[in-house]
Amino acid sequence: MTTETSGSITTQRVHWDLDYDVHLGRTWGRFMQGLTEKKILANACPECARVFVPPQAYCESCFVATDEWRELPPEGEVEVFTVAWQSFRGGPKPPYAIAGIRLDGASTLLMHYVSGLDLSDPAAVGDQLKPGARVRAVWADNRTGQILDIAHFEQIP
């Protein structure tokens, strides 16, 4: 279905319903394997020492391979967060919070769910989770090499 306004096409409806396998490659494969073992693995740039989690095969600043691996603690600080109030097909039931978390020792942010918040009052959510809030990973009971092997993060009291 195409929508036409004043002789110009402005939108087009597209529907994709795809199942597919993604080749993770060596870098992401190692990261996902670490999650099955309750380890958060990061890699570092040998030039600028930035630490990437999720890991990257190459430093985006120095353009060199990031071959130095390290395990990071499952704790860090929230830098930013948002709450999803609307659903989308295949996603979790809203509302839910997603945060940009800087794990201790990381230079980049890991985006993940944060639980334990009262999301019943949208105006009060910002009082519960502020930049700098300390959080820790909560591991899924059954880990299979997916990002949801970390079920979510929770605030550290």
Side-chain angles (χ1 to χ4, degrees), residues 29-153:
R30 187 169 180 178
F31 175 68
M32 293 300 179
Q33 180 60 43
L35 294 180
T36 67
E37 301 163 7
K38 294 186 177 182
K39 294 179 182 177
I40 301 176
L41 299 178
N43 58 10
C45 174
E47 297 289 324
C48 68
R50 290 180 68 208
V51 177
F52 301 101
V53 62
Q56 298 182 175
Y58 291 87
C59 178
E60 60 196 21
S61 298
C62 303
F63 305 108
V64 297
T66 52
D67 296 330
E68 179 189 328
W69 286 85
R70 59 185 72 167
E71 182 178 352
L72 296 183
E75 298 179 353
E77 289 187 358
V78 170
E79 288 207 4
V80 63
F81 82 96
T82 190
V83 176
W85 301 101
Q86 300 296 319
S87 65
F88 63 93
R89 195 166 99 215
K93 183 180 177 198
Y96 55 91
I98 299 176
I101 301 163
R102 187 175 309 278
L103 293 174
D104 295 343
S107 304
T108 57
L109 301 181
L110 176 68
M111 301 300 291
H112 216 300
Y113 299 114
V114 177
S115 69
L117 304 173
D118 178 1
L119 301 177
S120 63
D121 179 6
V125 173
D127 294 331
Q128 298 175 62
L129 189 64
K130 296 191 178 299
R134 297 286 300 165
V135 294
R136 80 167 56 93
V138 176
W139 296 98
D141 292 332
N142 299 312
R143 294 172 306 284
T144 59
Q146 305 281 326
I147 194 63
L148 290 178
D149 287 355
I150 301 172
H152 56 269
F153 281 77

